[in-house]
Amino acid sequence: MKIGDYSIACPVALAPMAGITDKPFRKLCRDFGAGWAVGEMLTSDPTLRNTRKTLRRSDFSGENGVVAVQIAGSVPEQMAQAARYNVALGAQVIDINMGCPAKKVCNVQAGSALLQNEPLVAAILQAVVAAVDVPVTLKTRLGWHDEHKNLPVIAKIAEESGIAALAVHGRTRTQMYRGEAEYDLIAEVKGRLKIPLWVNGDITSPQKAAAVLRQTAADGVMIGRGAQGRPWLFRDIKYFLEHGELPPPLDLAQCSQTALDHLRAIHDFYGDYAGVRIARKHIGWYIGALPEGEAARRAINTVDEAAAQYDALAAYLERLPEYTDSWPCSYR
């Protein structure tokens, strides 16, 4: 799979997720085999460039892979300016968000709200592609609602506008993340496209990844929520696609060390105050399904200092062999 001049050996990508796919998580997922990772959504509003949140999301230093930066907005020239600005900061690929279903994004006519205005979609894509000399990709959905699945039109606009690759979540905006992702329309669109296509939505196991690739003939799979608390999913999918079987599972010690290493990376990146609070959701995803995990999560969430949070998680994980000899996994 190629996006512009970038060759992707493993067609398994980490989807952009606001508040989740920060630099520590991107690095971790790449270490486990993700062949592509897109950063957290950045607003195109220039007045917000120097906020603490935006500055952290714009920190690409030491990135261990192609720097793909996602931008969101609804004004073509402002989006073009945002693309140029992020390329100047080190972005090697610009990804355009037309898939976010969040109200605060759609209420300003950005994200998936744009799917209601096809001429504006074309204007934004053309403006951004013309503004930068790096590949521009697009993340989108099946359409605005179930009676308005205009993905075929959006995909055609994207290809004609010079978009280098398309990623499609198999739901409409009104579905949010409810129900099950659908792939038939994605397969239909893939049959007409000449540019690469990532398929996204409900891909939570190696077996599902292989089945969706067969169904859609997509060039790769993009993993979002399925990787939360189990970044080794990329390792398992990569191996399954190459060998047709699952690799031996990571043992308890390896999974525990991954969680602790991730926690330390979060603390290092955000500092003690923000790091402790941001880490809480990740700790919940790691241990929520483990024996006594929910009780441990609640107890750890009362801790306000980074060192104490790390020690509390480490103490719980050290006791884990008393309850189980393997990390839970729904697809084994």
Side-chain angles (χ1 to χ4, degrees):
M1 183 176 181
K2 289 196 70 174
I3 295 179
D5 292 330
Y6 299 109
S7 296
I8 304 169
C10 175
V12 186
L14 172 64
M17 293 179 284
I20 300 168
T21 54
D22 54 16
K23 187 159 65 171
F25 194 59
R26 293 195 301 273
K27 181 181 187 305
L28 182 61
C29 292
R30 286 190 180 108
D31 288 345
F32 273 108
W36 193 257
V38 183
E40 301 173 85
M41 178 176 61
L42 293 171
T43 178
S44 61
D45 184 346
T47 67
L48 299 176
R49 284 176 184 166
N50 293 316
T51 64
R52 182 176 299 177
K53 178 186 289 186
T54 300
L55 289 172
R56 283 199 181 113
R57 291 184 177 184
S58 303
D59 181 354
F60 317 132
S61 60
E63 196 86 17
N64 61 330
V66 175
V67 179
V69 175
Q70 187 180 79
I71 59 174
S74 58
V75 180
E77 182 50 37
Q78 194 176 79
M79 289 285 280
Q81 290 173 355
R84 287 191 290 264
Y85 176 78
N86 282 284
V87 169
L89 290 180
Q92 295 169 297
V93 173
I94 294 295
D95 185 58
I96 297 174
N97 184 311
M98 292 189 184
C100 180
K103 286 183 179 179
K104 66 180 181 180
V105 175
C106 290
N107 285 346
V108 294
Q109 298 305 303
S112 56
L114 289 165
L115 301 178
Q116 302 171 98
N117 189 336
E118 292 163 6
L120 182 55
V121 168
I124 289 172
L125 299 186
Q126 291 163 12
V128 175
V129 169
V132 292
D133 293 327
V134 302
V136 179
T137 59
L138 173 65
K139 179 81 160 54
T140 190
R141 287 186 167 230
L142 300 180
W144 174 250
H145 55 71
D146 291 349
E147 287 72 44
H148 188 65
K149 294 180 180 178
N150 59 338
L151 174 63
V153 176
I154 299 298
K156 182 178 180 181
I157 292 171
E159 188 167 57
E160 291 176 348
S161 298
I163 292 298
L166 183 68
V168 184
H169 183 106
R171 288 182 173 87
T172 61
R173 188 272 166 177
T174 52
Q175 286 180 275
M176 302 291 283
Y177 297 100
R178 297 184 295 270
E180 296 183 0
E182 301 174 3
Y183 310 109
D184 288 347
L185 188 59
I186 298 175
E188 178 186 327
V189 167
K190 172 56 188 171
R192 303 173 185 172
L193 282 180
K194 296 179 181 178
I195 60 174
L197 183 147
W198 301 98
V199 60
N200 173 231
D202 292 353
I203 300 173
T204 56
S205 72
Q207 297 92 329
K208 182 69 173 288
V212 171
L213 284 174
R214 286 195 299 270
Q215 179 181 348
T216 62
D219 300 276
V221 290
M222 185 168 277
I223 312 299
R225 292 171 295 159
Q228 294 171 355
R230 49 175 184 169
W232 44 81
L233 177 61
F234 293 98
R235 162 194 180 266
D236 291 354
I237 292 177
K238 181 176 185 292
Y239 190 95
F240 191 88
L241 294 179
E242 292 173 353
H243 302 282
E245 61 183 11
L246 293 171
L250 298 179
D251 60 32
L252 271 180
Q254 291 171 307
C255 293
S256 295
Q257 192 60 53
T258 295
L260 290 171
D261 289 346
H262 187 190
L263 180 57
R264 191 178 296 282
I266 291 171
H267 292 161
D268 290 345
F269 185 67
Y270 289 101
D272 285 4
Y273 182 83
V276 166
R277 286 148 183 81
I278 289 167
R280 287 172 179 163
K281 59 192 172 190
H282 291 280
I283 291 171
W285 291 325
Y286 277 114
I287 71 174
L290 290 168
E292 305 297 325
E294 182 56 26
R297 181 194 66 80
R298 289 196 299 269
I300 294 170
N301 280 357
T302 65
V303 174
D304 287 327
E305 296 180 356
Q309 186 183 54
Y310 183 95
D311 290 344
L313 179 59
Y316 166 73
L317 293 173
E318 285 176 6
R319 298 192 304 271
L320 202 53
E322 300 173 13
Y323 304 105
T324 182
D325 59 1
S326 62
W327 203 274
C329 181
S330 61
Y331 51 82
R332 291 185 181 277

